[in-house]
């Protein structure tokens, strides 16, 4: 019979899957008759190399109707920066057009300058046709042999060509390209009369409707990319095997020798002075300083681990197919809200085990530990987006919805979890009795201090994931598509194993040096991979990307700081749990008076 926890997890996963698939995507399964209009929405425009810096389509002086009709959007779409409006092009089903005029427009000097600046920054546009995404550049720059930008030629495309494939009564694929002979010269600040045109060409294809999204994920499955991914897996597996071998052959042998030595010492002479990790058995389970903060970090890390696990499960069952607009953001918001009870329960329960008195303050600290920095970061970045008039700026209504979700779902579940944790009455089971006064920690060499230990602990887990990190960054902060979630899930499992193993090893060496303050050290060492990931952010921004500008830089480093902080809390929890299990087992195996 399934446990209540398993049933609850299954119900949560089903609820989120329904929410994501139901409200995020239209799930377009429309059938059309010849001549019937098919919806075409213009989404946004922006610099190609700055994925966060996007603007509304009609912020540029394109042909626009008198009244722009906006499409109602789900929460995830708004969080993703999508702002869909009716496009000025009419693409009826199986109706060809040849150079059909859109409008005649007189571009003022200001319009020409605006278009020229956009072309200079490689602006692209994005649209959705029957829920299929399409992109195109708005113009081109001819540099010739000139080195100075002031000597370059800037051109605007005025004729767009749509190539659409259909199968019976369904749209299968759409591509867009431009007529390179129909250009508007934007080099000089002169007014211009422009006639915008578009053409539509329909072709039949045998591709079934069910496979129309495979085109967008095919780039991730190219043999070259798969080879790199599998090299990443093999590299990570070798790392795990080496680390496991190290622990098995060195650590376990040392532990076995320690057990034999301590057993022999007990038989030989009871008054013989103890040394090594057994010497501090009366201090090793002494509760850490700042126990409320420690418990809150443990609870928040557990919630983020549950959030990550559920996201992977949804990804593996195919919810996050390419360009399911806003699905990931919707899932993140919903699952984070529904898992807040886990943070409340774990934090308060562990806080009470550590004999904490003010569990209400601990609960409030748990609720603010991750949400607080995230909220402050969001306020700053949303202000920047508003100043830029970018689509990344959330409307007031969306902010109210998020606040309501936090007030009506997240916080109540956090409180309920905290009450359940307080009433759980679980006691901390220490195999050794803690002495009244702590022993003095002997002087330690510099490499045994916290910062060097964190550097050693974070490097190995980071080395197991750094190859995969490039593809994730190129997808989140670029235009690549990432769909190989199975490989990413394997890498995630390897990351957890390596983090646990390296934390256990460093905890043993710390105790062997008679340093009994291992609680915070194990958490910091486990989470130190987050600092390495943020260091990789610096490398990626300056060496692997072409991002620029204050807004894009702020968004990249601001939100990556929040993600790396979440990594720190989650992996810190994994490291401490592994170290606690190891230390408990180690001291349980010897006789402590």
């Amino acid at each position: 019979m399934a446990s209540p926890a398993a049933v609850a997890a299954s119900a949560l996963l089903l609820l989120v899957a329904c929410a994501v698939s139901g409200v995020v995507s239209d799930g377009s399964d429309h059938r059309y008759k010849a001549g019937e209009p098919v919806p075409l929405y213009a989404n946004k425009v922006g610099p190609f190399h700055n994925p966060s810096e996007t603007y509304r389509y009609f912020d540029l002086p394109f042909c626009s109707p008198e009244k722009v009709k906006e499409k109602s959007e789900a929460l995830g779409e708004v969080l993703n920066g999508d702002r869909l409006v009716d496009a000025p092009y009419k693409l009826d089903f199986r109706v060809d057009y040849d150079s059909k005029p859109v409008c005649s427009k007189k571009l003022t000097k200001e319009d020409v300058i605006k278009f020229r600046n956009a072309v200079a920054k490689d602006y692209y546009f994005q649209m959705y046709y029957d829920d299929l995404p399409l992109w195109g550049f708005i113009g081109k720059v001819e540099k010739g042999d000139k080195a100075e930008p002031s000597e370059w030629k800037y051109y605007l495309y005025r004729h767009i060509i749509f190539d659409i494939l259909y199968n019976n009564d369904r749209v299968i694929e759409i591509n867009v390209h431009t007529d390179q002979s129909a250009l508007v010269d934007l080099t000089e600040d002169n007014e211009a009369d422009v006639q915008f045109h578009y053409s539509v060409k329909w072709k039949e294809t045998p591709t079934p409707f069910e496979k129309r999204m495979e085109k967008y994920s095919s780039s991730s499955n190219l043999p070259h990319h798969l080879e790199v991914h599998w090299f990443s897996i093999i590299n990570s597996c070798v790392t795990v095997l080496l680390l496991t071998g190290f622990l098995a052959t060195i650590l376990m042998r040392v532990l076995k020798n320690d057990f034999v030595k301590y057993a022999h010492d007990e038989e030989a002479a009871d008054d013989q002075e103890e040394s090594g990790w057994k010497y501090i058995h009366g201090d090793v389970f002494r509760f850490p300083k700042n126990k409320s903060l420690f418990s809150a970090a443990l609870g928040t890390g557990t919630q983020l681990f549950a959030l990550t696990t559920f996201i992977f499960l949804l990804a593996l069952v195919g919810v996050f197919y390419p360009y399911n607009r806003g699905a990931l953001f919707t899932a993140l918001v919903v699952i984070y809200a529904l898992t807040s009870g886990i943070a409340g329960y774990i934090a308060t329960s562990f806080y009470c085990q550590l004999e904490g008195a003010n569990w209400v303050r601990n609960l409030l600290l748990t609720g603010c530990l991750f949400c607080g920095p995230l909220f402050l970061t969001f306020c700053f970045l949303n202000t920047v987006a508003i100043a830029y008039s970018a689509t990344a700026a959330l409307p007031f209504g969306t902010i109210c919805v998020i606040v309501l979700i936090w007030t009506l779902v997240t916080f109540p579940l956090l409180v309920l979890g905290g009450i359940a944790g307080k009433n759980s009455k679980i006691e901390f089971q220490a195999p050794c009795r803690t002495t009244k006064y702590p022993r003095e920690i002997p002087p330690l060499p510099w490499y045994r201090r916290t910062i060097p230990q964190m550097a050693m602990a974070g490097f190995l887990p980071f080395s197991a994931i750094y190859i995969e990190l490039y593809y994730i960054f190129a997808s989140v902060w670029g235009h690549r598509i990432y769909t190989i979630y199975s490989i990413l899930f394997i890498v995630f499992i390897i990351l957890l194993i390596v983090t646990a193993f390296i934390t256990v090893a460093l905890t043993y060496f710390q105790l062997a040096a008679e340093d009994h303050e291992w609680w915070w050290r194990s958490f910091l060492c486990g989470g130190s991979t987050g600092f390495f990931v943020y260091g990789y952010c610096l490398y990626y921004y300056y060496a692997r990307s072409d991002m620029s500008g204050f807004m894009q830089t702020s968004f990249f480093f601001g939100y990556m700081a929040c993600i790396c902080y979440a990594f720190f809390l989650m992996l810190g929890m994994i490291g401490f749990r592994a170290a606690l299990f190891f230390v408990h087992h180690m001291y349980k195996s010897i006789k402590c008076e």
Side-chain angles (χ1 to χ4, degrees), residues 123 127 132 148 155 167 184 190 242 254 317 336 349 351 359 371 378-379 403-404 413 417 455 477 483 552 563 573:
Y123 265 51
M127 298 183 182
L132 292 173
E148 292 295 326
Y155 296 100
N167 187 340
V184 180
N190 298 325
L242 289 176
V254 171
V317 298
Y336 184 83
S349 173
Y351 181 68
W359 67 275
C371 283
F378 162 75
C379 288
V403 171
L404 282 175
L413 287 177
W477 300 105
T483 57
Q552 182 61 44
I563 293 172
M573 181 275 298

Side-chain angles (χ1 to χ4, degrees), residues 27 32 35 39 95 161 177 181 210 238 270 324 359 395-396 405 411 422 444 514 517 557 563 573:
Y32 301 98
V95 176
I161 302 169
H177 60 277
S181 61
E210 293 74 19
V238 169
D270 292 336
N324 186 1
W359 67 275
F396 180 73
I405 291 174
F411 187 71
K422 177 183 177 294
L444 299 173
E514 301 178 7
E517 295 181 347
F557 287 108
I563 293 172
M573 181 275 298

Side-chain angles (χ1 to χ4, degrees), residues 435-457:
T435 58
K436 188 174 182 180
Y437 300 104
R439 292 180 184 270
E440 184 179 353
I441 299 174
L444 299 173
W446 66 270
Y447 57 85
R448 286 192 180 276
R449 300 188 183 277
T450 302
I451 301 299
Q453 293 286 296
M454 288 176 64
M456 285 188 279

